[in-house]
């Protein structure tokens, strides 16, 4: 799905629309050099799900959260990764659990990197970035309703649900991707322990069960550590 972020008006939206349309436009690669992982025992069942495809309405990514964190790596979560997951200390600066076997790639946005973890087999995908809006609700409002790129304007858009808490907000929706067909998206935005708003979005083919699509998002939120900060701050 196409995502965009606006810096002022007009031109910024065009830049982000191009940078965050993933899937066919980005080259997929294995974990980048510098990624450290802790692997859990092999899972006896299928890996949890995660989405595929960049989705519209990302909001405005913030400055690179890793720039100020080189001397203060995030603390490790207290629990080990669940079976079928690995713990990745991402080069951007944060730590989170991702499904084993998923490949990492990164695109440079206007102000910050956007990181993707892609399933090798079923079209699911995780997308992680920091945003500049002052709250998760404000960020989602921009991502959903901007007249130039809001995800509510995507072909086939259908709202499937919405939830929120004191420090997070999350819509679930579907849309028709021009390259990949019907997609389901869960777009979770939250305030991390260091005060930075982040987005972790999961998407996958609309034919997959919702629970399978959501599972990698839950694992990522429960283990997320911002640079130099506390872990699990995206927990529902």
């Amino acid at each position: 799905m196409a995502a965009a972020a606006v810096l002022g008006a007009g031109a910024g939206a065009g830049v982000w629309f191009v940078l965050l349309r993933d899937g066919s436009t980005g080259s997929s690669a294995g974990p980048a050099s510098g990624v450290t992982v802790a692997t859990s025992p092999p899972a006896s069942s299928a890996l949890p799900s995660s989405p595929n495809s960049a989705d519209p309405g990302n909001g405005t990514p913030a400055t690179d959260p890793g720039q100020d964190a080189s001397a203060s790596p995030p603390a490790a979560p207290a629990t080990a990764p669940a079976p079928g997951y690995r713990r990745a200390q991402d080069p951007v600066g944060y730590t989170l659990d991702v499904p084993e076997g998923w490949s990492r790639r990164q695109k440079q946005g206007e102000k910050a990197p956007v990181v993707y973890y892609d399933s090798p087999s079923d079209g699911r995908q995780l997308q992680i970035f920091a945003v500049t809006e002052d709250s998760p609700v404000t960020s989602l409002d921009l991502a959903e309703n901007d007249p130039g790129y809001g995800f509510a304007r995507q072909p086939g858009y259908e709202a499937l649900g919405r939830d929120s808490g004191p420090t997070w907000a999350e819509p679930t929706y579907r849309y028709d991707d021009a390259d990949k067909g019907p997609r389901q998206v869960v777009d979770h935005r939250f305030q991390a322990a260091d005060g930075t708003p982040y987005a972790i979005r999961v998407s996958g083919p609309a034919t997959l069960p919702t629970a399978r699509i959501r599972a990698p998002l839950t694992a990522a939120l429960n283990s997320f550590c911002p640079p130099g900060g506390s872990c699990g701050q995206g927990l529902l």
Side-chain angles (χ1 to χ4, degrees):
M1 178 188 318
V6 176
L7 295 178
V15 171
W16 270 103
F17 188 91
V18 173
L19 287 176
L20 297 187
R21 178 173 177 80
D22 81 354
S24 59
T25 59
S27 60
S28 179
S33 59
V35 176
T36 58
V37 301
T39 306
S40 63
S44 58
S45 58
L47 294 182
S49 41
S50 164
N52 159 32
S53 155
D55 305 306
N58 278 322
T60 308
T63 53
D64 185 343
Q67 290 178 346
D68 299 325
S70 59
S72 302
T79 59
Y85 286 82
R86 63 182 175 88
R87 182 149 298 151
Q89 185 172 325
D90 197 275
V92 169
Y94 45 71
T95 296
L96 77 171
D97 292 354
V98 299
E100 293 174 0
W102 285 31
S103 60
R104 180 192 185 276
R105 58 193 174 92
Q106 180 176 321
K107 293 182 180 181
Q108 182 57 45
E110 190 70 23
K111 287 190 173 183
V114 181
V115 174
Y116 304 86
Y117 286 92
D118 297 295
S119 168
S121 59
D122 65 2
R124 293 173 297 153
Q125 179 189 81
L126 281 169
Q127 182 181 0
I128 308 102
F129 55 94
V131 298
T132 58
E133 290 78 30
D134 60 3
S135 74
V137 171
T138 300
S139 178
L140 276 172
D141 181 65
L142 175 64
E144 182 174 6
N145 301 308
D146 184 272
Y149 64 83
F151 60 71
R153 297 174 178 272
Q154 295 300 302
Y157 171 77
E158 178 185 359
L160 301 177
R162 189 177 299 270
D163 204 354
S164 63
T167 61
W168 60 273
E170 176 192 283
T172 302
Y173 62 92
R174 72 171 303 285
Y175 76 102
D176 295 329
D177 185 271
D179 299 322
K180 300 174 182 177
R183 307 278 302 169
Q184 185 176 154
V185 182
V186 185
D187 189 335
H188 188 98
R189 308 208 177 195
F190 63 98
Q191 187 170 13
D194 62 356
T196 303
Y198 282 87
I200 302 182
R201 312 173 74 219
V202 64
S203 63
T207 53
L208 291 178
T210 299
R212 179 169 176 79
I213 294 175
R214 176 181 285 275
L217 172 64
T218 300
L221 292 171
N222 287 350
S223 59
F224 185 82
C225 295
S230 301
C231 305
Q233 296 302 306
L235 181 63
L236 294 175

